[in-house]
Amino acid sequence: MSKSFRTIALIGKYQSPDVAEAVLRIAGFLREHGLVVWIEQGTASSIGTAGDYAVASYEEIGVGADLAVVLGGDGTMLNTARRLSQHEVPLVGINQGRLGFLTDIARNDALVKLGEILDGRYSEESRAMLDAEVLRAGQRVFQTLALNDVVVNKGDLGRMIEFDLSIDGEYVYTQRSDGMILATPTGSTAYALSANGPILHPTVGGVALVPLCPHALTARPVTLPDTCRIEIVLLPPHDATIHFDGQTRFDARAGDRVVVTRSPNVVRLLHPEGYSYFAMLRQKMHWSAVPRLP
C-alpha cells in the first residue's frame, strides 16, 4: 500500500441500506491492509453503526484524513466536495447510485479498484468550482460554493422572470426566460445538458451560460472564460429561486444581484489507472460506435 494514504475517511449516502453494507465492507478491507479508518459522523448515524471505527466530522476529515472515499451517487460527491474542497483532501467515488459521472468506480469493482489506488496506481485531476454570492442593496446576504452549477430560475412562479446579465462589469443583455444555468465543466453534463448546453471537457477553463426556455429564440448558450465575473440582476417585480448544485437554495428578491466567479478552491478527484473521460461519456451517454463502411 502507498505510504501517501494512511488515514482513510468513508462517506456514504444517507439513509441507504446498500451503502451501509458497502461502508462496513470497505472499512474492513482497509483495516486488513493496516490503514486507519474513519467514518463520517452523518454516515455513521445513518447506517446505525460504526462498529469500532472512529467517527469524524467533515472538519476533522478535512484536517486529518489523507483520502476520502465517497459511496453513493453524484449528489453525495457534490456535497462532500463542497465541504472538503478548502482542505484539498483527494476524493474517490464509488457509484452506489444510478448515473455516476463523478462516482466512476462501479460497486462490484470497488475493492479491486480501491486497492489499485491505494497502491499508487491512479490518475488525479482537479475540478474547478464556482464562488457564488447574492448582494442585496450592496450587502452580501448569501454565499456558497458550487461544483456543478448555479441556477437562477422562476421557482414556483408560473411565469417568466426578467434579469440583466453583465460580464466583467459590461452589460450584455436583458433576458426574459425561466432562468439561467451557470455551469462548470463538471456541471456541463448535469442540468445544463438537459437544457441543450455544451459538454465541456474538465480541463477547459470555462463556464457555460445556458438560458432556460428563453422568450427570445436568439438567446443561445455561451461559454465564457472562467476568469470572468458574471452578474445577474433580477428586475422588478420578479423574485426568483437560486439553486447551488441542486442541493442548496436561496430565495432571491427583485433587485438582488447574483455574482459568480471561479473559486480559488478546487476538487481533487482520483481515478483508477486507465480512466478515460471519453470512455465514461460513451458509457453514461449511451454513445455507440458507428459501423464503418466497407
Side-chain angles (χ1 to χ4, degrees), residues 246-283:
Q247 295 180 340
T248 305
R249 163 179 171 155
F250 181 81
D251 293 323
R253 301 177 189 169
D256 284 356
R257 181 182 301 269
V258 185
V259 181
V260 176
T261 56
R262 175 169 176 163
S263 171
N265 295 351
V266 297
V267 175
R268 297 174 60 196
L269 296 180
L270 304 189
H271 303 291
E273 221 171 26
Y275 169 82
S276 163
Y277 178 74
F278 293 110
M280 181 275 296
L281 283 182
R282 281 197 304 273
Q283 178 190 7

Side-chain angles (χ1 to χ4, degrees), residues 1-2 5 26 29-30 33 35 67 69 92 94 105 109-122 272:
M1 292 286 165
S2 170
F5 308 120
I26 291 175
F29 169 80
L30 295 173
H33 287 82
L35 301 174
L67 179 70
V69 178
V92 171
I94 297 175
I105 298 177
D109 298 330
L111 298 185
V112 172
K113 296 299 183 183
L114 189 55
E116 292 176 0
I117 290 172
L118 294 173
D119 282 336
R121 291 180 286 154
Y122 62 84

Side-chain angles (χ1 to χ4, degrees), residues 10-16 20 23-24 39-51 53-56:
L10 301 182
I11 301 168
K13 178 180 179 181
Y14 296 169
Q15 307 303 325
S16 172
V23 166
L24 295 177
I39 297 180
E40 185 269 325
Q41 61 185 13
T43 304
S45 176
S46 177
I47 66 178
T49 178
Y53 299 101
V55 174

Side-chain angles (χ1 to χ4, degrees), residues 204-280:
V204 171
V207 177
L209 303 188
V210 184
L212 287 169
C213 302
H215 187 259
L217 298 180
T218 53
R220 311 303 301 167
V222 177
T223 300
L224 300 172
D226 62 8
T227 55
C228 289
R229 176 184 173 93
I230 304 165
E231 299 184 47
I232 292 175
V233 179
L234 296 172
L235 299 180
H238 306 285
D239 297 336
T241 302
I242 310 172
H243 296 274
F244 308 89
D245 285 347
Q247 295 180 340
T248 305
R249 163 179 171 155
F250 181 81
D251 293 323
R253 301 177 189 169
D256 284 356
R257 181 182 301 269
V258 185
V259 181
V260 176
T261 56
R262 175 169 176 163
S263 171
N265 295 351
V266 297
V267 175
R268 297 174 60 196
L269 296 180
L270 304 189
H271 303 291
E273 221 171 26
Y275 169 82
S276 163
Y277 178 74
F278 293 110
M280 181 275 296

